Amino acid sequence: MKTKIILDTDPGIDDVFAILFAEAHPDIELKGITTIYGNVTIENATRNALYLKQKFQLQADIVTGASKPIVRPPVGPTVVVHGEGGFGDVNVPAEVEGQADPRPAYQYIIDAVKAEPGEITLVAIGPLTNLALALQADPSIVDLVNKVVIMGGAFGENGHRGNVTPFAEANVHDDPHAADMVLTASWPVVVIGLDVTEQSFFTRDYLDQLRDNAGDVGQFIWDVSRFYLRFYSEKVGLDACHVHDPSAIAYVINPELFTLREGPIRVVVDGVAEGMTIQKIDDRVYPHDEWMNQSPQQVAVTVKDAELLELYRHSIINYAVRLK
């Protein structure tokens, strides 16, 4: 049985990897792509999503989301990682075919989960503003979603604590207030954070093989990855890139790739540790405890990286065959 998902995304380079993965795998029905600022401006995010829909004949609705965080000042697009337009060296035309759904993303999410209660999984791979706005507008949706899967956060497992500050991951840091709202809501959440996404790598050789074996899809992934790999080489010191956003899709397809740890989560919303995610994993009762009355959520702490990489490769190659 297919898992129906709405993918909330700020289409930069690794978002491309994730969107095509979701479209490629036969166990996922990609119903909607809601866009969010983050890697790019909201205008570029929606244009990039419409471009992918046009290029790969996606059936998903494209819906424009929030342009800024709920409280904090915007951080701005991560041009150094994803390029000016979000797809690295690949330029998206100023005018693309198709139109976005007229509803704001938060309303689209509310309408979708009400239309199919218990059937839709929300997968968020950018800042969490759209999900927080949906919660604010209609708190009842916590009982209507199947699950919420988030690529974001870092909990110190496997030595991974942050990528934009020493203790904060980019998606959470972009809107920590939204993240705290989403992670403390009573819906079931699985967090796929840096603890596991930085344990998997797309190497140059891996991406070269996709280019050679996965037709136009593999070529496009290879093309957008050039800028990303330069960033990783020059700024991070790696001859490969981490598998961030596709890891959230991999969890939806095969949860057994990951080991999860349960406990309530809070997000630091200001100060030097802004965007830090902290999970309470003991049952001790403390005199002062901002975690005690919050819903327990799941955090991924280990990943079967070789199996994840093979799942991705197999999915994209089979997808390329279907597109011929």
Side-chain angles (χ1 to χ4, degrees), residues 136-210:
Q136 285 183 325
D138 192 338
S140 72
I141 64 172
V142 296
D143 298 318
L144 300 176
V145 300
N146 177 39
K147 188 175 294 182
V148 180
V149 179
I150 293 167
M151 189 277 121
F155 297 85
E157 294 298 309
N158 308 308
H160 305 303
R161 294 177 176 83
N163 61 359
V164 291
T165 82
F167 299 101
E169 178 275 332
N171 290 339
V172 173
H173 184 261
D174 271 0
D175 194 343
H177 297 84
D180 194 55
M181 289 176 58
V182 170
L183 292 170
T184 57
S186 61
W187 50 16
V189 176
V190 176
V191 180
I192 307 295
L194 301 185
D195 314 86
V196 289
T197 68
E198 291 191 346
Q199 293 294 104
S200 300
F201 302 89
F202 284 160
T203 64
R204 290 184 182 274
D205 182 61
Y206 180 94
L207 292 165
D208 286 350
Q209 289 184 36
L210 273 185

Side-chain angles (χ1 to χ4, degrees), residues 73-304:
V75 174
T78 48
V79 174
V80 66
V81 182
H82 299 274
E84 289 290 342
F87 287 176
D89 300 323
V90 175
N91 294 317
V92 174
E95 298 294 330
V96 295
E97 294 179 9
Q99 297 290 327
D101 189 284
R103 288 167 289 182
Y106 78 86
Q107 189 62 54
Y108 177 87
I109 291 169
I110 292 168
D111 293 346
V113 300
K114 283 189 168 183
E116 298 185 274
E119 295 190 24
I120 292 178
T121 294
L122 303 178
V123 183
I125 57 176
L128 295 171
T129 315
N130 288 335
L131 272 63
L133 291 172
L135 281 171
Q136 285 183 325
D138 192 338
S140 72
I141 64 172
V142 296
D143 298 318
L144 300 176
V145 300
N146 177 39
K147 188 175 294 182
V148 180
V149 179
I150 293 167
M151 189 277 121
F155 297 85
E157 294 298 309
N158 308 308
H160 305 303
R161 294 177 176 83
N163 61 359
V164 291
T165 82
F167 299 101
E169 178 275 332
N171 290 339
V172 173
H173 184 261
D174 271 0
D175 194 343
H177 297 84
D180 194 55
M181 289 176 58
V182 170
L183 292 170
T184 57
S186 61
W187 50 16
V189 176
V190 176
V191 180
I192 307 295
L194 301 185
D195 314 86
V196 289
T197 68
E198 291 191 346
Q199 293 294 104
S200 300
F201 302 89
F202 284 160
T203 64
R204 290 184 182 274
D205 182 61
Y206 180 94
L207 292 165
D208 286 350
Q209 289 184 36
L210 273 185
R211 175 199 59 196
D212 295 341
N213 298 323
D216 291 343
V217 185
Q219 182 67 57
F220 187 75
I221 290 171
W222 190 88
D223 288 342
V224 299
S225 72
R226 299 303 91 191
F227 190 96
Y228 207 42
L229 287 175
R230 287 200 301 275
F231 165 78
Y232 270 91
S233 176
E234 295 168 6
K235 304 296 184 183
V236 185
L238 289 175
D239 196 30
C241 59
H242 295 308
V243 187
H244 290 306
D245 293 346
S247 293
I249 304 300
Y251 174 82
V252 175
I253 297 167
N254 184 7
E256 293 184 2
L257 293 174
F258 300 87
T259 303
L260 304 181
R261 181 182 73 194
E262 185 173 85
I265 302 167
R266 295 305 306 265
V267 180
V268 179
V269 297
D270 55 24
V272 295
E274 183 178 38
M276 184 178 184
T277 48
I278 307 170
Q279 184 182 41
K280 181 185 177 185
I281 56 174
D282 64 59
D283 295 324
R284 179 178 168 182
V285 177
Y286 296 83
H288 307 284
D289 191 341
E290 294 295 331
W291 289 258
M292 183 171 60
N293 295 321
Q294 306 299 335
S295 299
Q297 306 294 11
Q298 304 285 338
V299 169
V301 293
T302 71
V303 59
K304 297 175 182 177

